[in-house]
Amino acid sequence: MGAYTVIGKKTPKSDAVAKVTGEARYATDVYLRGMLWARVLRSPLPHARIVRIDTSKARALKGVHAVLTAADVPDARYGALVLDMGMFARGKVRYIGEAVAAVAAVDEPTAARAVDLIEVEYDPLPAVFDPLEALAPNAPILHEALAGYTTLFDRTARAMQGNVNYQAEIACGDVEAGFAASDFVFEDTYQVQKQHPSYMEPNSTVADVDAEGRLVIYNTTQRPHINQAILSSLLGVPIAKIRVVPCHVGGGFGGKNRTLTEPTAAALALKTRRPVRLTFSHEEEFTSATTRHGGVIKLKTGVKKDGTLVASQATLYYDCGAYAPTPNAVWLGAISSTGPYRIPNVRVEAFSIYTNKMMSGAFRGYGAPQSTFARESQMDRIARELGLDPFELRLKNCLVEGDSLHTGQPLHSVQVRETLLKARAMVGWKGPRLGPNRALGVACGIFACGGFATSSIVKMNMDGTATVATGAMDMGQGLRTVMRQIAAEVLGLAPDDVTVVIGDTDLTPFDVGIFGDRGTHTGGQAVKLAAEDARDQILAAAAAGMGVPAGRLELRERKVVDRTAPERFLHLRDVLGGGQYKKGGPIIGKASINLTETAFDPGIVRGAATKMFSTYTFATHVAEVEVDPRTGVTKVDKITAVHDCGTVINPDGLRGQIIGGMATGLGYALYEDVIIEQGQVQNPSFLECRPPTAVDMPAIEFATVEGYDAKGPFGAKGVGNVSVINIAPAIANAVEHAVGARVTSLPVTPLKVLQALGAGEV
Amino acid sequence: MKQVVQLNVNDAEHELALDPSRTLLEVLRESLGLTGTKEVCLLGSCGACTVLVDDRPVLACLTLASACQGKRVLTIEGLRQGEALHPLQQAFIDKGAVQCGFCTPGMIMAGKALLDRNPHPTPDEARAAIAGNLCRCTGYEQIVEAIVAAPAVDEAARVGAREGGHYLMPDMAE
């Protein structure tokens, strides 16, 4: 759509020079004069009453400046939908690794010694580690006061009973009648594991108290403005007295849509009036941060013998661990649980369940990799048992423009069919089998894209350049550069003419956080609207000077140009510099949007965690694997990806997102698994729980299909999440086609493949 | 008991009184303020702290600073010559190999070690050279391309310098 000068053109990242020279400053690179180091005492038990805490020996240690426990901080809780977690365990501990106390000392070894000197007496309680066992009537209860917790969602569902902290129900059509009308009904149970986000940079905060008594937070986060609000509520400090200054983010993937180190560092800084640094150790990352939700998905699908999907009942049991920082994941899982298919009769029940384990939270794919693994594994089973081609079955049922989702949300910019057709052509599909032990597997997915509140300011400078201010964080995916391109396109500038100020809560307007494919689509749209506001003001100012109606003017090549007579123009620097000197200026564009404004129909959805998403993204992936039937080892030779992402803004950024998502999906499919026994993480490091390396990557081919999403900037949608969700089912499907082993739990380990070969379907 | 250690880091001589247990990573980041070398796992499992010691890649988190006495240490900060980026740094930018950037210094140092002994590596040689460096963002493809492309960047820069002009990567000139 349209001929763009900047959009879709190769544009190097604006922070790339800083990052290749080592000059980019991350939170762990902040060393302030007089800075103290914090360490945290963590629970050694999965569930226990705290009988007594004695900090006297720690306080007496030379070099220790402060020791805090729950008794020293306000009794306040925070969370995403359910406010269930305090800064420190209060009264009892609920998982191994939970914060019990914290120390600030002159250096890290002293802080660590002081932590060892804190004495805690525990009275162990029965614990529960399995989400289905946690639903049993006699299961140990983690949060006795759950019903009294503040919640931020529609509580019409039977939410919040026992260990269920969030529940959603979706019902459309008549699912029982649908099963009755089906020729075949398939019922399967799928299991998924906890996967660590494995951002390279650990969680870290340096908290300082400035000369005016304001709290200043240097951190690594996807949501500075929400951090500010949470710190205010936890510490009892007014928002105006808190400034969050995010540093470059060394990877987030949802794992930094969290507030983990900030409150403790801030409380210690307020107590000591010194800068305090709290950085998670590598082990703490694997015990006390968050992972993707593990869980169980039960799927029952009714189908006609020609392959037409008639009815689907999905039950999602997501294990959120001891607290629920992001139970929304199960809501996103429920949305993706039908796959990108038209199914007239659907029922989904989705539960977020407490267990005495490390917390689950947001991670790239955000609830959808789990339910997509179930849906797409079962689609292949249906194809096999009905004797249908896997592509044909999907093409027969896929959503098209104008359809509504099972939630009742009408869809637009739906190119799922196109992704299937293109992927099929790219792999030269002649059926899944390629040869002995070699096969292709296909999977197709849908992910909710964009929405929620964001805002942007575009300030024009006297030299004709622009400064964009946005609270929408760049977590490394390149949002700064995308925003630069968007503003440059609107204002007739080159990307280098645009400076993007990002995240600093003193300088940027509100954004709710970067997650769920909303950075480019929603954050970018606010920048576009703010730039258009600035453009209109520039044109009005120039119109007076040029004696031409503003409607005849446009911005290009750093000039205001009369469209009807291009030789008549003013340089932007003259309009802005001259105008601002004479009249004081300034020209400031602004925009505030919320792309999630329509509520779901309560007759269809009960317990919705959100309003309707802005749009949806789609993708088809094909994995080519070779399985050794003697060892059970699966080697992925190639992955082909076709994405429906609307207009491409930054081609290198898109490529990085698509391939990076594949890598995360590959680890999820084959080996990444945070193993927990009796509440204790067994493999808390990259040595034992390793993301894919360069030599693990398969050959890659990818493409996009033409599309335009009317709600996104220049028609753009997101791609960061949907790039992950299909990989595991595509690989599992290929494994079955290669050697006849159907593995229904992730990861697809050699042992499971051998077991499946020995026992047929397991 | 502190020990006096002479370190040559990025061609600058430093004399430091150090606890013998101090790692090269701690000394680089905390004593010398060279925070471009990143601290992640402290187990030698991620490669983010890769630096060159006498031209060989080492993991600074597992190397005692005192063991580098009399050796040449090169960190990411020492790669650039004045304003001019090293060809590998330029290639990382041109190929879109940088996302969050936290693995980037270690990746570049591992890549440089390869290019120093094998100026024209194949993609598989590049993959093997960075197999000890984890990256969660990129899926490695653009990093491998950057390492393979770096010699061409270097050549173009030298041609550009001879001819007194600027150069463009072929795909930048489109």
Side-chain angles (χ1 to χ4, degrees):
Chain A
M1 301 279 276
Y4 301 124
T5 58
V6 182
I7 298 299
K9 301 292 193 300
K10 186 177 176 79
T11 308
K13 288 206 170 68
S14 57
D15 52 11
V17 172
K19 287 176 173 175
V20 300
T21 55
E23 286 161 9
R25 192 173 77 155
Y26 299 83
T28 50
D29 300 332
V30 176
Y31 293 86
L32 300 182
R33 198 183 301 274
M35 187 172 84
L36 303 174
W37 296 72
R39 296 300 308 155
V40 175
L41 175 68
R42 299 194 173 278
S43 168
L45 297 174
H47 202 189
R49 212 176 311 285
I50 299 173
V51 178
R52 181 182 64 88
I53 305 180
D54 182 351
T55 60
S56 56
K57 285 181 188 153
R59 287 176 204 274
L61 184 69
K62 187 166 176 282
V64 171
H65 285 248
V67 182
L68 296 179
T69 69
D72 305 302
V73 297
D75 184 5
R77 288 185 303 268
Y78 67 118
L81 297 178
V82 183
L83 308 195
D84 62 358
M85 188 166 82
M87 207 182 307
F88 299 108
R90 190 177 291 274
K92 68 177 195 173
V93 290
R94 298 179 173 90
Y95 72 100
I96 296 173
E98 180 169 4
V100 175
V103 173
V106 288
D107 54 30
E108 208 166 13
T110 306
R113 270 199 299 279
V115 160
D116 288 343
L117 291 173
I118 298 172
E119 293 170 7
V120 186
E121 189 186 327
Y122 295 102
D123 179 13
L125 295 167
V128 61
F129 306 109
D130 178 272
L132 296 181
E133 288 173 17
L135 291 178
N138 58 350
I141 297 297
L142 275 80
H143 294 261
E144 295 84 352
L146 176 63
Y149 288 174
T150 304
T151 56
L152 305 176
F153 68 102
D154 162 22
R155 287 176 72 162
T156 51
R158 288 173 289 115
M160 304 181 72
Q161 292 175 345
N163 288 315
V164 175
N165 52 68
Y166 167 72
Q167 178 181 348
E169 296 172 27
I170 304 169
C172 82
D174 182 338
V175 79
E176 293 306 332
F179 288 131
S182 299
D183 294 323
F184 302 96
V185 175
F186 296 87
E187 278 193 80
D188 296 290
T189 299
Y190 300 90
Q191 285 202 326
V192 287
Q193 81 280 33
K194 284 165 88 74
Q195 183 190 23
H196 193 273
S198 296
Y199 35 75
M200 294 298 288
E201 175 205 32
N203 281 283
S204 189
T205 294
V206 174
D208 193 16
V209 180
D210 75 8
E212 295 166 26
R214 294 177 82 214
L215 194 54
V216 184
I217 304 291
Y218 303 96
N219 63 345
T220 172
T221 185
Q222 296 172 222
R223 54 173 193 183
H225 292 268
I226 296 293
N227 283 165
Q228 188 189 34
I230 286 174
L231 286 168
S232 173
S233 69
L234 283 184
L235 301 167
V237 174
I239 279 187
K241 294 284 185 192
I242 301 169
R243 178 182 186 185
V244 177
V245 190
C247 303
H248 280 289
V249 178
F253 316 111
K256 292 192 183 143
N257 196 37
R258 268 307 61 71
T259 307
L260 291 173
T261 50
E262 292 87 349
T264 309
L268 288 166
L270 288 171
K271 177 89 176 170
T272 59
R273 296 275 150 177
R274 297 261 296 258
V276 175
R277 166 167 165 168
L278 175 59
T279 302
F280 270 10
S281 70
H282 191 54
E283 185 169 342
E284 283 176 304
E285 285 294 342
F286 277 87
T287 60
S288 307
T290 57
T291 67
R292 188 188 301 298
H293 291 69
V296 176
I297 295 126
K298 294 185 174 172
L299 204 55
K300 178 178 176 186
T301 302
V303 56
K304 293 280 192 193
K305 54 176 173 282
D306 69 353
T308 305
L309 299 175
V310 182
S312 166
Q313 179 163 343
T315 315
L316 281 57
Y317 304 96
Y318 281 20
D319 178 354
C320 78
Y323 296 89
T326 321
N328 329 40
V330 73
W331 167 239
L332 272 291
I335 289 173
S336 289
S337 67
T338 53
Y341 306 116
R342 317 165 107 164
I343 310 178
N345 306 292
V346 175
R347 182 153 73 224
V348 186
E349 289 181 280
F351 303 88
S352 170
I353 304 162
Y354 288 128
T355 59
N356 292 107
K357 294 197 297 210
M358 86 178 278
M359 297 181 287
S360 305
F363 177 23
R364 201 166 183 177
Y366 207 27
Q370 297 93 325
S371 59
T372 304
F373 172 65
R375 170 60 59 192
E376 287 300 281
S377 294
Q378 196 185 55
M379 284 296 278
D380 251 44
R381 181 183 168 206
I382 293 170
R384 188 186 69 234
E385 297 201 11
L386 268 51
L388 298 171
D389 177 272
F391 268 102
E392 284 303 328
L393 177 66
R394 289 171 170 86
L395 284 163
K396 185 177 192 65
N397 290 286
C398 69
L399 293 162
V400 298
E401 191 78 18
D403 282 348
S404 288
L405 212 52
H406 57 298
T407 57
Q409 175 165 4
L411 299 172
H412 60 273
S413 80
V414 182
Q415 268 79 37
V416 56
R417 169 177 295 278
E418 289 75 3
T419 68
L420 280 160
L421 292 172
K422 194 160 190 169
R424 188 169 69 173
M426 282 168 70
V427 299
W429 180 261
K430 295 184 189 71
R433 290 276 293 175
L434 295 176
N437 307 323
R438 289 183 63 234
L440 300 173
V442 59
C444 190
I446 175 172
F447 191 80
C449 168
F452 310 102
T454 192
S455 44
S456 176
I457 293 168
V458 174
K459 178 173 83 75
M460 299 307 299
N461 303 313
M462 285 192 292
D463 59 357
T465 63
T467 301
V468 173
T470 171
M473 274 307 290
D474 187 334
M475 58 174 128
Q477 80 281 48
L479 195 55
R480 268 189 187 84
T481 311
V482 162
M483 292 187 165
R484 197 181 218 200
Q485 288 179 267
I486 289 169
E489 184 71 45
V490 172
L491 295 167
L493 299 173
D496 283 352
D497 298 332
V498 180
T499 301
V500 179
V501 175
I502 210 156
D504 183 335
T505 55
D506 267 11
L507 304 177
T508 66
F510 180 82
D511 177 85
V512 72
I514 287 306
F515 53 80
D517 280 352
R518 65 183 295 278
T520 295
H521 177 82
T522 309
Q525 180 67 2
V527 170
K528 178 166 183 274
L529 294 173
E532 287 172 352
D533 182 16
R535 177 197 64 199
D536 293 347
Q537 295 177 51
I538 296 166
L539 296 184
M546 293 171 76
V548 177
R552 260 170 56 193
L553 298 176
E554 64 183 17
L555 299 182
R556 60 177 137 107
E557 294 165 355
R558 301 178 178 132
K559 295 191 276 268
V560 184
V561 181
D562 182 343
R563 199 182 290 111
T564 61
E567 70 283 2
R568 294 174 51 133
F569 66 85
L570 284 177
H571 289 286
L572 265 179
R573 61 171 184 268
D574 295 328
V575 178
L576 290 155
Q580 293 195 21
Y581 274 123
K582 276 182 249 158
K583 295 180 71 179
I587 285 180
I588 297 175
K590 65 183 174 66
S592 174
I593 58 173
N594 185 336
L595 298 185
T596 320
E597 288 187 312
T598 310
F600 288 96
D601 178 350
I604 300 173
V605 178
R606 294 203 296 159
T610 63
K611 294 181 177 175
M612 288 187 181
F613 291 90
S614 179
T615 188
Y616 290 81
T617 59
F618 303 93
T620 297
H621 287 78
V622 182
E624 179 181 331
V625 308
E626 180 165 8
V627 183
D628 184 335
R630 295 162 307 164
T631 61
V633 171
T634 298
K635 182 170 173 293
V636 180
D637 290 327
K638 184 175 180 183
I639 298 178
T640 303
V642 181
H643 280 264
D644 165 25
C645 57
T647 303
V648 177
I649 291 183
N650 188 309
D652 278 341
L654 175 85
R655 184 163 176 237
Q657 287 288 300
I658 289 174
I659 303 175
M662 263 181 211
T664 292
L666 181 74
Y668 186 55
L670 293 180
Y671 39 80
E672 285 183 58
D673 186 358
V674 178
I675 298 165
I676 300 180
E677 301 286 353
Q678 296 297 304
Q680 179 77 58
V681 177
Q682 302 295 304
N683 52 349
S685 76
F686 287 156
L687 279 177
E688 301 143 302
C689 189
R690 184 174 60 76
T693 69
V695 293
D696 298 321
M697 288 298 291
I700 287 153
E701 204 175 335
F702 76 90
T704 58
V705 295
E706 206 169 312
Y708 186 92
D709 190 275
K711 288 183 170 178
F714 303 101
K717 297 200 276 194
V719 74
N721 289 284
V722 78
S723 53
V724 175
I725 67 175
N726 294 335
I727 307 296
I731 290 172
N733 290 342
V735 168
E736 181 176 36
H737 292 303
V739 293
R742 168 54 63 179
V743 179
T744 54
S745 77
L746 291 177
V748 180
T749 59
L751 180 63
K752 289 181 196 169
V753 170
L754 290 178
Q755 284 171 338
L757 283 174
E761 188 145 339
V762 292
Chain B
M1 177 71 105
K2 296 209 168 171
Q3 179 183 5
V4 175
V5 178
Q6 278 90 26
L7 285 182
N8 179 310
V9 180
N10 301 335
D11 288 332
E13 296 288 343
H14 301 273
E15 188 171 280
L16 301 163
L18 299 175
D19 187 308
S21 69
R22 298 282 278 177
T23 64
L24 180 58
L25 180 62
E26 289 170 324
V27 169
L28 290 173
R29 290 181 56 84
E30 292 168 21
S31 304
L32 302 179
L34 296 171
T35 56
T37 304
K38 296 304 179 205
E39 176 180 328
V40 177
C41 70
L42 301 182
L43 294 166
S45 68
C46 76
C49 65
T50 304
V51 299
L52 303 191
V53 176
D54 284 349
D55 303 322
R56 300 174 70 88
V58 306
L59 298 167
C61 76
L62 298 184
T63 304
L64 291 175
S66 57
C68 299
Q69 165 94 29
K71 297 180 177 170
R72 286 173 298 109
V73 179
L74 182 69
T75 74
I76 189 71
E77 290 91 345
L79 212 52
R80 165 186 210 170
Q81 302 289 321
E83 280 302 295
L85 296 178
H86 184 279
L88 187 53
Q89 292 173 311
Q90 187 63 51
F92 264 63
I93 297 173
D94 295 344
K95 292 295 176 187
V98 178
Q99 284 194 38
C100 88
F102 213 73
C103 75
T104 305
M107 285 285 184
I108 290 178
M109 299 315 285
K112 180 179 189 300
L114 169 68
L115 291 168
D116 285 349
R117 62 177 193 275
N118 176 2
H120 296 281
T122 64
D124 277 346
E125 288 168 339
R127 280 187 195 100
I130 58 165
N133 294 70
L134 295 178
C135 168
R136 188 59 138 178
C137 295
T138 63
Y140 306 99
E141 193 73 5
Q142 286 152 300
I143 294 173
V144 169
E145 282 178 15
I147 294 170
V148 172
V153 175
D154 195 18
E155 178 60 21
R158 276 186 273 116
V159 171
R162 268 203 309 277
E163 295 174 355
H166 294 288
Y167 73 92
L168 287 172
M169 286 293 293
D171 57 356
M172 293 282 286
E174 282 166 11

